[in-house]
Amino acid sequence: MADTHPKLPPTIHQGILNLPGTTYGAKSIVERLLEEDRQKHHCFWGKVGFHNHLSHHLLAAYDLGAPAALLQKIYDAEAKDQSDMYVFERKEGKKEAIQQTVTAQNWTEYLGDERYYASYLDFFTEEIAAHGVGEVLEQRVFAPAANGNGAYMLLRFVGGAAAFFVSVHPLIQTGYGVEFGSDAMVAQALAQTAVHAPFRPELFDLRHAPPSPEPLTYESADPTHRQPSAGHSLLSILRQAYDSPIMAPVIPYDPDALLSARFTAALEPSSGRPAEIRRLAALWQVDPARGAAEFDDKVEELLWATTLLLAGTGRRGRAPRLDFFLMHMLNAALFVPSLLAAIPSATSKAALLRALVPVLLAYLTVRGRPRIDPELMMSYTDTPRPPRPSASASASPMMPAPDPSAIGSPADAADCNPWPELLAAVLHAPDPHTLKAVRVLHYAAQRYGQTPPGGAIGAFDGAGRETHAGIARVDGTLFVRAAGVVMDTLGWVAHGQREGAWDRSALGWDEAWKVPDVDGAAAA
C-alpha cells in the first residue's frame, strides 16, 4: 500500500552537534528505520493520542554518536507502541484514515483532523518534491493564505494542540527534518502540523503588523551589559511577567488538573492574561534588517531563558524538579537555528521568532509562573559525574588508580571535562526527552560556554540592575550545570541509577511543593 504513495529520498546528513562517532553503518540503519516509521506509523499513538517521538529519539541518539546496534534497540523499544497510520485505536474507538486527495485547492479543508494524516503526508511530499522545503514552508506555514479563515498554520506549527495536550511537536519534528537535511521528514512534520489544532489564537496579534523596532535608551554605560538591538530582552520580559499582578497564577491550585484545564482557567478572557501576554510578547522585537546577527542574538536569548526556566526554577533546600512542559520549550529552542536557515525570507524568520514568545509565556502561566533563581542554578555543580560504584559493589569494579605518570586524576572532578562521560551515559536513557534536553544543553555549551558572569543578553536592565537577583553570577557553565541536573534527576541509568521522572506538578505554585521529595538521587 505504501509503495503507491509519493516518496522523497530517505537520506540524512550530520546533525548540528557534529560530534565524532557516527559511522556508515549507523547512518544506513537510521535512514532505514526512519523510513519504516514514516511509512508505517501515525504521528499520534495510543488511545489518548500521544505524540510519536520515535524519529526524535533515533536522530538525537544518532547525533550523539549511537552505534547501529543501539539505534535498532531504540527503534524496537518504541515501535511496538506506535499506532498504524491507516487504522488506529483511540479512546473513542477505532478510527480509520480517510483516503482523500489533498490538493493546493482544498488543503485547508481538513485541518485539525488526524484521520487525514496520511493524505496530508502525500500532499506535502508532492509539494516538497515540486517546490523544495523553503518554498513550501513559506507558502504553507507563513503566507497569509495559510493563516487566514481559521487556517492558522503558524499557530499549529509553533504550539499545536492534540488530544488533551498542547505541544511544540510540529516545530520540533520540522526542526529535525531541516537540521538533518531530510525533506521526507519535513513532509512528515508538515502533515503532523496540519492535523493539530491551532495554539490559542487569542494570544497572538494577528490583525496588526509588528511594531517597527525601537531601540531603548539605556542609562547604564557598562559595556559588559549586553542588550538586544531593539525592544526588551527575553529575560527582561520574564521579569515583567513575574512582577505583573495580571499574570498571577490561578487560585486555587488543583494538583490533579489536566494541562488543557489549566490553559482554560489561566486564559479565561476576563482574567486579562491573554491581553497581558500579547502586550509582553510585543516587547520582544525582531529587526530583520540586521540579518544573521539579529537572528543569532534571538537564538541565544531563547537558549539562555529556556535553560534557566527548566533547571533554575526549583526551591532552595529541595531536590530539583524539572517541569515536563518547560522542558519542551528548551528542546524546541535547539531547532530555531536550523529553521531560520531553512526559511527563505527574513520576514518569515522574524514571524517565527515572534510567535514563540506567546507560547513561552503561556506555558509559564499554566505552570504556575515558576520563578528563575540564578543563585540556586549556580549552586549546582559544574562538573557533574555519574554515581561511582563502592568498593563492595560486584556489578562494576572501582575506577582503577591512574599510573603515576598520568597528569591529574580522572577521579578528581576538577581534572575532568564532564561532557564525554555525560554524553556517553545519556545515550542509554529510556526517555527520549532526556537525550533531547542534554543535546540542547551541549549545543548551548558549545556556543556560549565561554560567556563571563553576567554576560547573558538582558542580564541587566537599562539602569544596570539585575533582571533576576543573582544573575550577575551566571556564566557559561549554566549549561553543563543544567545537564547535570537533568542527569541526576532523570537518572544515570547506564551507571545503575534508577530512572527518574519529569515534574508535572505545575511547580510554580507554592502548594505544589507541599509534597515531600522522594528519596534518591533520581527521585521518581
Side-chain angles (χ1 to χ4, degrees):
M1 185 175 185
D3 290 340
T4 66
H5 294 265
K7 290 185 180 181
L8 289 162
T11 54
I12 62 169
H13 60 52
Q14 193 66 29
I16 199 168
L17 292 189
N18 198 27
L19 297 177
T22 55
T23 64
Y24 172 79
K27 182 175 185 289
S28 299
I29 198 167
V30 81
E31 288 173 345
R32 176 177 64 77
L33 296 174
L34 289 169
E35 182 67 8
E36 188 171 327
D37 175 53
R38 193 159 35 244
Q39 297 301 324
K40 284 185 175 182
H41 300 143
H42 201 282
C43 65
F44 305 131
W45 66 270
K47 291 195 173 182
V48 175
F50 295 108
H51 289 90
N52 177 354
H53 289 78
L54 180 49
S55 58
H56 305 185
H57 200 163
L58 287 170
L59 285 173
Y62 172 75
D63 196 36
L64 292 173
L70 181 56
L71 292 166
Q72 182 67 61
K73 289 180 174 71
I74 289 170
Y75 184 89
D76 294 342
E78 292 207 29
K80 63 181 185 295
D81 294 324
Q82 303 303 321
S83 293
D84 183 85
M85 189 188 301
Y86 298 100
V87 181
F88 40 93
E89 288 285 339
R90 298 291 183 255
K91 67 173 188 174
E92 59 269 28
K94 186 173 78 172
K95 290 186 177 182
E96 294 187 11
I98 296 176
Q99 298 296 299
Q100 170 69 47
T101 301
V102 177
T103 68
Q105 288 69 47
N106 69 5
W107 75 279
T108 60
E109 295 179 15
Y110 315 106
L111 295 174
D113 190 334
E114 66 169 324
R115 296 174 299 170
Y116 292 92
Y117 172 72
S119 298
Y120 274 117
L121 181 56
D122 286 350
F123 170 67
F124 285 113
T125 297
E126 292 172 343
E127 287 269 290
I128 290 172
H131 306 293
V133 165
E135 181 62 20
V136 172
L137 288 173
E138 289 283 2
Q139 296 303 318
R140 305 303 182 202
V141 175
F142 295 99
N147 290 283
N149 298 317
Y152 292 135
M153 277 294 284
L154 180 56
L155 307 194
R156 298 175 199 272
F157 184 80
V158 296
F164 297 104
F165 306 99
V166 181
S167 75
V168 287
H169 287 94
L171 182 152
I172 289 173
Q173 186 86 12
T174 310
Y176 271 112
V178 295
E179 177 189 342
F180 288 88
S182 172
D183 290 0
M185 193 167 181
V186 176
Q188 189 181 12
L190 292 177
Q192 181 184 128
T193 304
V195 300
H196 278 72
F199 182 81
R200 298 285 174 172
E202 68 270 24
L203 302 183
F204 300 82
D205 187 351
L206 301 174
R207 294 179 299 170
H208 305 100
S212 299
E214 297 180 4
L216 295 180
T217 299
Y218 293 103
E219 299 173 20
S220 174
D222 191 328
T224 67
H225 293 180
R226 299 174 64 205
Q227 300 292 348
S229 66
H232 296 245
S233 70
L234 202 48
L235 288 174
S236 171
I237 292 167
L238 289 172
R239 173 77 270 154
Q240 294 174 65
Y242 292 150
D243 294 342
S244 170
I246 298 172
M247 295 288 282
V250 170
I251 301 296
Y253 166 70
D254 180 357
D256 301 316
L258 295 173
L259 183 66
S260 56
R262 293 198 193 281
F263 268 103
T264 299
L267 301 180
E268 201 278 323
S270 64
S271 70
R273 291 189 191 91
E276 183 72 346
I277 288 174
R278 291 195 302 271
R279 183 189 72 81
L280 290 168
L283 299 176
W284 205 55
Q285 297 188 2
V286 184
D287 183 4
R290 289 187 68 228
E294 177 76 351
F295 301 132
D296 289 347
D297 285 352
K298 295 305 180 187
V299 169
E300 183 175 350
E301 286 195 61
L302 282 167
L303 286 166
W304 281 82
T306 54
T307 299
L308 287 163
L309 284 169
L310 175 64
T313 49
R315 298 292 173 96
R316 299 185 189 191
R318 302 293 300 273
R321 295 186 190 179
L322 301 175
D323 184 84
F324 181 74
F325 300 98
L326 294 177
M327 168 268 293
H328 279 81
M329 297 307 302
L330 171 69
N331 288 353
L334 176 64
F335 299 103
V336 176
S338 298
L339 288 165
L340 292 174
I343 297 167
S345 76
T347 300
S348 295
K349 295 177 201 282
L352 171 64
L353 290 167
R354 293 189 191 101
L356 293 172
V357 182
V359 180
L360 180 62
L361 291 172
Y363 275 106
L364 181 76
T365 303
V366 300
R367 307 321 292 156
R369 198 169 57 169
R371 293 175 178 261
I372 293 168
D373 184 345
E375 292 179 354
L376 175 66
M377 185 70 245
M378 292 300 287
S379 74
Y380 302 134
T381 182
D382 62 353
T383 53
R385 308 292 298 276
R388 299 299 179 190
S390 65
S392 60
S394 59
S396 177
M398 290 286 287
M399 180 182 292
D403 184 81
S405 65
I407 299 175
S409 170
D412 185 348
D415 290 344
C416 293
N417 174 358
W419 280 111
E421 199 167 31
L422 197 152
L423 296 178
V426 80
L427 279 174
H428 301 279
D431 185 341
H433 297 101
T434 309
L435 277 80
K436 291 159 69 175
V438 169
R439 196 170 81 98
V440 181
L441 294 167
H442 188 271
Y443 173 78
Q446 285 180 320
R447 295 293 302 273
Y448 316 118
Q450 297 181 17
T451 303
I457 297 173
F460 300 90
D461 66 14
R465 299 167 300 203
E466 291 179 310
T467 49
H468 302 268
I471 203 162
R473 292 181 51 216
V474 178
D475 60 13
T477 63
L478 166 68
F479 305 105
V480 73
R481 294 176 195 270
V485 174
V486 170
M487 294 300 293
D488 289 344
T489 305
L490 276 296
W492 296 81
V493 296
H495 292 265
Q497 199 174 63
R498 68 191 179 96
E499 182 187 4
W502 301 100
D503 183 74
R504 290 174 169 82
S505 69
L507 74 170
W509 275 275
D510 291 338
E511 292 85 350
W513 291 88
K514 292 182 177 179
V515 178
D517 296 331
V518 178
D519 292 336

